[in-house]
Amino acid sequence: MQHILAVANQKGGVGKTTTVLSLGAALSETGRKVLLVDLDPQANLSLGLGVDISDDRPTIYHNLCGRGIATEDAILPTSFPRLSLIPANIDLSAAEIQLINELNRERALKSALSQVSSAFDYILIDCPPSLGLLTINALAAADGILVPLQCAYWAMRGMKQLLDTIERVRSRGVNPDLALVGILLTMFDSRTAASHQVKDRVREAFPDRVFGTVIKSTVQFNYASVAHQPILAHAPASDAAHAYRTLAQELQERMNQEVMSHAA
Ligand SMILES: Nc1ncnc2c1ncn2[C@@H]1O[C@H](COP(=O)(O)OP(=O)(O)O)[C@@H](O)[C@H]1O
Ligand SMILES: [Mg+2]
């Protein structure tokens, strides 16, 4: 069974890119074939894997807006076996405007990924910090959405807008089956009251959707991004790497349960 997950939250700096990178690496360690898709023009995911595309090499932009560029041609290997990347660069910032005039503007990514999806067990899409057309494309292409939520006092504020967007994507027929797969608490700091409050409130509001795994706040992630490596490569034995491995287990159990409950 194959899964396409959009990692989305319109707030920046909440751990989307870190989650795509670390969860992707952790899933690949368990033997899954994983494709990461960089859908943010800031290209932090690509840079986090040491990929800096400044030449004419195909990127996700060409897959979305280029004519006749095969999706496969944009896929790059990474230092992890079974972990591949479709990179982005700043060119992607033009895609939102170019896609507006397309007939199937919400489904450009879905159609691009359909060329390659059978080769992967998991496809993780790193969304930009907005609810614009790129994020809508991710929600149209995905079976599920995973929402990283930073444990800070304003964390819940954007949640309603995000849930409204998910509901619109469902009700307008763009993707009627889009599931909220899970909410991941990130940057948890046990010393702050705000962290505990957010954790309690989110668990109360979404009792069956919040992952049991909580990602703690640690500078290890900054060191890893400076080194252009996933935390699982930079500090493989760290608590931070271990937390994303636990999340990968939890996610796979959750996906299996959901497949079984659909089949029942
Ligand atoms: N659990 C964490 N603890 C501390 N810093 C983190 C954590 N997760 C991510 N970061 C750092 O926070 C910054 C923003 O994270 P990032 O994943 O890029 O967020 P987003 O993609 O949502 O904008 C990055 O510098 C990253 O290294
Ligand atoms: Mg990001």
Side-chain angles (χ1 to χ4, degrees):
M1 183 73 192
Q2 182 235 11
H3 307 286
I4 304 183
L5 300 179
V7 177
N9 184 331
Q10 73 274 28
K11 277 187 198 295
V14 299
K16 290 182 290 296
T17 301
T18 302
T19 296
V20 168
L21 202 53
S22 316
L23 178 62
L27 286 167
S28 78
E29 277 187 354
T30 71
R32 305 281 165 253
K33 282 179 273 174
V34 182
L35 175 65
L36 307 183
V37 180
D38 193 348
L39 203 61
D40 184 348
Q42 292 178 63
N44 289 338
L45 176 64
S46 306
L47 297 172
L49 281 160
V51 174
D52 189 357
I53 304 265
S54 43
D55 54 18
D56 288 338
R57 220 202 146 270
T59 61
I60 190 67
Y61 167 76
H62 299 93
N63 296 155
L64 294 174
C65 299
R67 299 276 176 266
I69 304 247
T71 307
E72 200 184 340
D73 291 345
I75 298 180
L76 291 173
T78 71
S79 59
F80 280 73
R82 297 177 297 277
L83 184 68
S84 306
L85 168 75
I86 300 185
N89 63 14
I90 193 66
D91 290 350
L92 184 60
S93 58
E96 301 233 13
I97 294 161
Q98 289 183 23
L99 285 173
I100 282 179
N101 297 316
E102 296 286 321
L103 208 55
N104 263 322
R105 60 184 185 181
E106 290 106 350
R107 293 187 180 82
L109 181 63
K110 186 182 173 76
S111 127
L113 292 181
S114 69
Q115 297 174 24
V116 297
S117 55
S118 62
F120 298 96
D121 300 308
Y122 279 87
I123 299 181
L124 305 180
I125 307 168
D126 187 24
C127 292
S130 83
L131 293 172
L133 196 46
L134 285 173
T135 296
I136 301 295
N137 263 270
L139 299 184
D143 348 285
I145 171 169
L146 193 159
V147 182
L149 211 63
Q150 182 181 356
C151 292
Y153 80 100
W154 42 256
M156 293 283 275
R157 238 185 259 167
M159 211 44 199
K160 184 178 181 311
Q161 210 188 348
L162 181 57
L163 294 173
D164 287 349
T165 303
I166 297 173
E167 196 40 53
R168 269 207 316 280
V169 165
R170 285 180 186 142
S171 63
R172 294 192 186 167
V174 173
N175 186 356
D177 299 323
L178 179 65
L180 175 59
V181 165
I183 298 172
L184 176 67
L185 295 169
T186 64
M187 304 184 203
F188 180 82
D189 182 348
S190 63
R191 295 165 304 180
T192 68
S195 273
H196 291 282
Q197 270 166 21
V198 169
K199 190 164 123 184
D200 294 346
R201 283 187 53 198
V202 175
R203 286 198 165 147
E204 205 178 288
F206 306 94
D208 62 340
R209 290 294 86 186
V210 184
F211 288 110
T213 311
V214 173
I215 310 297
K216 290 186 189 149
S217 179
T218 160
V219 289
Q220 294 274 12
F221 288 105
N222 293 338
Y223 298 152
S225 33
V226 170
H228 303 294
Q229 278 186 331
I231 189 83
L232 276 82
H234 188 253
S238 62
D239 286 352
H242 184 66
Y244 273 105
R245 288 193 191 100
T246 310
L247 177 69
Q249 291 296 346
E250 193 182 354
L251 174 71
Q252 294 190 84
E253 280 159 25
R254 192 172 280 198
M255 299 314 284
N256 289 342
Q257 271 169 13
E258 264 153 49
V259 169
M260 277 160 62
S261 69
H262 273 115

